[in-house]
Amino acid sequence: MPDTTAQPAGVPASGTVHWIGAGLSTGSGLAALCDAADRVRLWHRTEERAAQSLESLGLTGRAEPRAYTLPALTAELAPGDVVVSMLPAPEHAGLLAACVSRGAHFACSSYVSEAVLDQVPAARAAGVVVLTEAGLDPGIDHLFAQGLIARAREEIGADTAAEVSLTSYCGGIPAVPNDFRYRFSWAPAGVLNALRSPARYIEAGAETTAPRPWEVTRPHVVDGEQFEVYPNRDSLPFVDQYGLPPAWKPQTFIRGTLRLDGWLDAWQPVFEELRQGDDQRIAALAQELAARYPTTDADRDRVVLAVSLDVRADPDHTWSGRYLLDLQGDAEESAMARCVSRTLALGVRRILAGDLPPGLSRAAETPERSEEWLVDLGREGIAFRRK
């Protein structure tokens, strides 16, 4: 939830944005910031690779290439700069520490880690904005859930006792199915390690834990199309984060991953390896799978995000709502890069405009903010439907 205590004065945005990393999720959001910011620097493994990434994005001359190391970045940070991290989540704590020491703001699309949370009080005291969970999942999924819950509250009433089912499933999948039923839209090691993490969720009104999430994969129909879904990470904190009224009792509350129909069977050899739990072997397997199923320039990805809410107060007093985002990538940009980078850029523009307070913010803090973000995302070409 947003900070509600007295806020220290925020450090005014300088107009300079440092975008760290140019991986699979970097897309037209970076171009949007080249329009919005006074100066943009793209930091990558080497200055040459940063320049190549800018060329591939059509941004040569609009952003400055830099070779990334944390000391090199820190040396160039000025008060009010904005650091946008596209690096793996374990590296965010070090970046945030550098931001706090220099009075620079921080933004990423990842979940809030404990290491980042520990630094939020210092960031807030320094007048620094810490924006997290501002991508696709997490990010747009939060906006959808907040929007549905707000509408259901108006219809059912927050004080009315009711049973609730909320499911939120998101997946990056190949637009043209292959025999593996998947193509990697983010780091293969991250995909495999996410499957090794237990999932906690609510089903049949009870807290449930799946030590191996893929073992509870089930069919799921979205807009008439058959998929497979499984729970991911820990869904329970989002009951409070989404502001579910206390009078509403969750019977189902699952945030999870969506895959093509047939994925469970196609991945059985991978699951056998994951059951062994050998870190070194899993790291090698990630490299093998990336080489065996490479993403080529001819491939097109697809992003499907389906969020559903059903509220039942009594047989004659019910409410149901759905959001569906179903995008396919094109020759210019993958659907994953479009969704993640444009959503993140939207948050960064809010930092540049001075619209976010010091301390921790997420993409969706209130229903009102969620609605504003959804309107803006629709204007920027991220199409979705609400039923």
Side-chain angles (χ1 to χ4, degrees), residues 1-249:
M1 298 298 291
D3 293 327
T4 55
T5 53
Q7 295 284 1
V11 177
S14 67
T16 296
V17 173
H18 303 265
W19 187 285
I20 319 298
L24 293 174
S25 292
T26 292
S28 56
L30 180 57
L33 290 181
C34 288
D35 292 332
D38 297 331
R39 170 181 289 177
V40 175
R41 293 174 179 141
L42 176 64
W43 298 76
H44 205 14
R45 292 190 181 95
T46 66
E47 186 172 332
E48 180 182 11
R49 293 194 64 176
Q52 290 171 348
S53 295
L54 290 173
E55 182 179 6
S56 67
L57 292 167
L59 298 177
T60 299
R62 299 182 62 194
E64 304 168 14
R66 291 287 193 276
Y68 174 73
T69 66
L70 186 55
L73 170 70
T74 304
E76 290 205 34
L77 284 182
D81 286 3
V82 183
V83 170
V84 183
S85 176
M86 303 299 285
L87 300 179
E91 298 191 46
H92 290 165
L95 275 172
L96 179 55
C99 288
V100 173
S101 70
R102 296 285 180 159
H105 307 294
F106 175 84
C108 71
S109 61
S110 302
Y111 289 99
V112 185
S113 67
E114 290 298 324
V116 167
L117 274 178
D118 289 344
Q119 297 185 64
V120 168
R124 182 174 174 275
V128 167
V129 176
V130 182
L131 174 65
T132 65
E133 299 182 16
L136 169 63
D137 173 9
I140 299 177
D141 57 341
H142 293 348
L143 305 177
F144 286 175
Q146 285 270 25
L148 291 173
I149 290 170
R151 287 174 170 81
R153 287 169 65 107
E154 293 176 0
E155 178 70 24
I156 297 294
D159 297 328
T160 302
E163 294 184 346
V164 175
S165 171
L166 186 145
T167 60
S168 178
Y169 293 114
C170 184
I173 55 180
V176 178
N178 57 2
D179 61 335
F180 194 48
R181 315 304 287 173
Y182 188 75
R183 284 200 189 278
F184 292 99
S185 55
W186 59 298
V191 175
L192 298 184
N193 285 321
L195 283 166
R196 300 171 73 191
S197 301
R200 198 162 68 117
Y201 54 101
I202 297 174
E203 190 165 47
E207 294 184 11
T208 305
T209 299
R212 295 169 176 156
W214 72 84
E215 294 182 344
V216 293
T217 298
R218 66 192 69 183
H220 189 69
V221 177
V222 177
D223 213 26
E225 184 175 355
Q226 186 87 10
F227 294 96
E228 294 176 349
V229 296
Y230 59 89
N232 184 29
R233 297 178 176 263
D234 187 355
S235 298
L236 298 189
F238 295 92
V239 173
D240 290 334
Q241 185 171 319
Y242 290 167
L244 213 62
W248 295 5
K249 302 305 177 187

Side-chain angles (χ1 to χ4, degrees), residues 299-338:
D299 291 319
R300 298 290 175 261
D301 73 326
R302 179 185 175 196
V303 165
V304 177
L305 169 59
V307 181
S308 301
L309 176 68
D310 297 286
V311 183
R312 179 186 176 94
D314 57 59
D316 298 321
H317 198 191
T318 63
W319 188 91
S320 295
R322 310 280 185 272
Y323 269 108
L324 174 61
L325 182 155
D326 189 347
L327 292 180
Q328 183 170 317
D330 54 33
E332 293 184 358
E333 182 179 30
S334 72
M336 183 65 68
R338 184 184 310 161

